[in-house]
Amino acid sequence: MSFIKKLLIQILKLFNISHHDVYLLKSISHSGWVFKVYNPFDKSIPTQKFLFSEVEETNDKDTMMCERIINSYFSSLANKSNDEMRSKEWSRIKNTHQSKLFDCLNDKNHKKLNELFNSFLRTEIVYGIDTGNFYNNKNWKPHSLKLLSDLARLCEYLGISRAESGQGELAHIFKDELSIIKQKIETKLNVKIDSPQICGAYGLKIENSLITLQSPESIYVAHKLISDFFKIENSFSNNAKVNILEIGGGYGASAYFIINLLKNSLNNYYLLDLPIINTMSAFYLGKIFGHNKIQLYGESHSIEKGIKIFPTTDYNSMEKVNLVFNQNSFPEIPIEQSKAYIEWMENNAEYFFSYNHESLLKDRSMAVTTVPEQFNANSKFNLMNREFSWMRPGYIHEIYKIIE
């Protein structure tokens, strides 16, 4: 490491700014706000420390769900019809940060797993999906600023606030109280934007509501996905029932908002991810919508309508869907696995919605491909719409129609 880089790291530490915090600051859409926030005489941006939701005690209902999760996890591993494939990054996360979760599963300790899941959003097991324990009370400014910037971008996208360009007044949105801003968003979307105060979630408290760091972007992606799909597939009436598959569903943050926005237009929501990640989404979404609304892989009983979770080791038994969705992961999926997903989509889906970056290193050591590379070369996928994200610089959302 060079002397200059070491010096820079030391200077940043004086301001309680870590490498992750620098990443957050670089990803802020309203870049001019950074100088305002670190100006001690400027109070125009209402940054504040995050608050943590209360951690629940274990209970019999959740422990029984954890027993189901453990059984499903081992069913996933037992099926070798399509061996689990991990990217280099997810292999690193598995080996470095998820040992506590693996220990609970391998010990088949239902209560211990319940205890971990009651606060898992504050831990390192969510690295690669959420911020986990990267946040602490010393580095609250970058996190708070990023959340507020994303909240403002969501308002700009929805047309309830003027879009900033850097040429006019900065942070004008905060002439309204945060509670008013939240109310305007909810009125526009006709849905609550609160994040569930479970599993150790933390974020900005607006009155009695919690807005997490991931919430604004998840809401944006959910709204964009639904509006693009129904705009193109206008044959769907308000009474239509849509089936959606999310590839790389994480712990269910986007699924939560998509399900709430679709309301009665949704039939089944499928999540497909690595078996270890599915344990998180099963618990998280089960806590929100009810454990009886979750169907896990390997279970003998089936539910007619709800959330159905499948592992990457076996997804070919899933029913056909109207729309496949992927957010922030397709470029990093091993090529062999992504080709298998595409082949499945060709025969089992009508549309594919992508929200991903297209950044590649020369050696492709992180991302191995881009969505256009994979889909534009396939004559069965017809690009219907392609736009830059309002929320995250460099991200693209696209929707493809799959031609029979």
Side-chain angles (χ1 to χ4, degrees):
M1 187 183 296
S2 69
F3 171 77
I4 295 176
K5 192 171 183 179
K6 287 181 180 179
L7 180 61
L8 180 59
I9 290 172
Q10 292 304 315
I11 292 172
L12 290 173
K13 282 183 178 180
L14 292 175
F15 292 93
N16 294 312
I17 299 174
S18 68
H19 175 75
H20 176 72
D21 301 334
V22 173
Y23 169 78
L24 284 180
L25 291 171
K26 286 168 64 177
S27 67
I28 290 171
S29 299
H30 302 86
S31 57
W33 291 12
V34 176
F35 302 101
K36 292 175 72 66
V37 161
Y38 285 96
N39 178 351
F41 303 104
D42 193 327
K43 305 296 182 184
S44 58
I45 300 175
T47 51
Q48 52 193 276
K49 290 184 178 180
F50 285 171
L51 294 177
F52 292 84
S53 60
E54 185 178 349
V55 176
E56 297 179 36
E57 298 290 333
T58 58
N59 61 69
D60 291 342
K61 188 183 295 185
D62 289 348
T63 303
M64 288 176 62
M65 183 61 177
C66 287
E67 183 175 3
R68 289 175 57 196
I69 289 169
I70 290 171
N71 291 337
S72 177
Y73 172 75
F74 282 101
S75 294
S76 302
L77 298 186
N79 192 319
K80 298 299 181 183
S81 62
N82 182 17
D83 287 341
E84 177 182 287
M85 282 188 265
R86 289 174 173 266
S87 67
K88 290 181 180 179
E89 179 62 12
W90 277 104
S91 294
R92 185 190 66 79
I93 290 172
K94 172 188 175 183
N95 296 330
T96 310
H97 301 296
Q98 294 181 330
S99 59
K100 286 184 180 179
L101 179 51
F102 278 106
D103 288 345
C104 291
L105 294 167
N106 291 327
D107 293 344
K108 297 187 177 181
N109 190 324
H110 314 140
K111 187 173 182 180
K112 189 177 177 183
L113 184 62
N114 188 178
E115 290 174 352
L116 176 61
F117 280 157
N118 279 343
S119 60
F120 80 93
L121 291 175
R122 302 182 192 179
T123 72
E124 61 184 327
I125 70 171
V126 294
Y127 284 0
I129 305 172
D130 210 327
T131 48
N133 59 7
F134 276 132
Y135 175 83
N136 57 64
N137 285 327
K138 292 181 180 179
N139 66 348
W140 59 274
K141 278 191 176 181
H143 290 74
S144 183
L145 181 60
K146 169 65 174 169
L147 194 159
L148 290 172
S149 176
D150 283 357
L151 201 62
R153 272 293 186 221
L154 180 61
C155 291
E156 292 167 6
Y157 159 70
L158 293 172
I160 56 181
S161 177
R162 289 183 284 115
E164 287 192 16
S165 66
Q167 298 180 43
E169 183 183 8
L170 297 180
H172 59 80
I173 188 173
F174 299 118
K175 291 178 180 178
D176 283 333
E177 299 287 334
L178 289 175
S179 58
I180 300 300
I181 294 170
K182 176 178 175 289
Q183 185 181 52
K184 286 181 178 180
I185 296 171
E186 292 178 338
T187 300
K188 184 76 173 183
L189 296 177
N190 192 29
V191 71
K192 294 288 185 183
I193 64 167
D194 307 30
S195 291
Q197 297 186 43
I198 60 172
C199 301
Y202 59 89
L204 188 65
K205 227 24 183 338
I206 303 178
E207 296 179 331
N208 294 321
S209 301
L210 184 74
I211 309 297
T212 70
L213 190 62
Q214 309 298 329
S215 298
E217 189 168 22
S218 294
I219 295 164
Y220 166 75
V221 173
H223 184 268
K224 191 67 180 144
L225 176 150
I226 293 166
S227 60
D228 278 5
F229 173 67
F230 279 93
K231 191 183 300 178
I232 292 171
E233 190 53 75
N234 52 25
S235 62
F236 277 87
S237 65
N238 291 330
N239 296 320
K241 303 297 181 184
V242 178
N243 291 307
I244 293 179
L245 162 64
E246 183 178 357
I247 296 175
Y251 66 83
S254 292
Y256 166 70
F257 289 110
I258 292 170
I259 292 168
N260 281 344
L261 282 168
L262 276 172
K263 298 185 175 74
N264 295 327
S265 294
L266 180 67
N267 186 37
N268 284 310
Y269 196 98
Y270 299 89
L271 287 110
L272 177 67
D273 214 322
L274 296 166
I276 192 70
I277 305 300
N278 286 344
T279 65
M280 302 182 211
S281 62
F283 188 85
Y284 181 77
L285 295 173
K287 287 281 290 181
I288 298 168
F289 297 107
H291 299 318
N292 62 330
K293 297 293 184 182
I294 309 294
Q295 182 176 326
L296 301 179
Y297 178 75
E299 293 185 327
S300 56
H301 73 279
S302 61
I303 57 176
E304 184 178 346
K305 178 182 177 181
I307 299 165
K308 302 181 180 182
I309 302 175
F310 283 78
T312 54
T313 51
D314 182 18
Y315 52 88
N316 287 308
S317 55
M318 286 190 302
E319 297 91 340
K320 292 186 176 182
V321 298
N322 303 102
L323 177 67
V324 177
F325 162 51
N326 176 258
Q327 175 181 354
N328 199 21
S329 65
F330 214 94
E332 296 153 22
I333 297 172
I335 293 291
E336 297 82 1
Q337 186 74 69
S338 62
K339 286 181 177 178
Y341 291 152
I342 293 170
E343 184 177 344
W344 186 91
M345 280 188 261
E346 289 175 1
N347 301 304
N348 296 284
E350 299 173 19
Y351 292 90
F352 173 63
F353 183 92
S354 165
Y355 181 76
N356 283 288
H357 67 81
E358 297 178 2
S359 301
L360 296 173
L361 298 173
K362 286 184 179 180
D363 62 357
R364 301 201 178 205
S365 55
M366 293 293 288
V368 295
T369 187
T370 67
V371 169
E373 278 184 346
Q374 293 280 63
F375 289 85
N376 289 349
N378 190 320
S379 60
K380 289 193 175 183
F381 288 82
N382 183 26
L383 179 62
M384 307 295 290
N385 191 36
R386 173 180 165 88
E387 299 175 85
F388 274 115
S389 166
W390 279 75
M391 301 296 292
R392 193 185 296 200
Y395 269 62
I396 309 291
H397 39 73
E398 304 168 293
I399 186 164
Y400 294 82
K401 182 177 176 61
I402 300 166
I403 302 169
E404 295 181 5

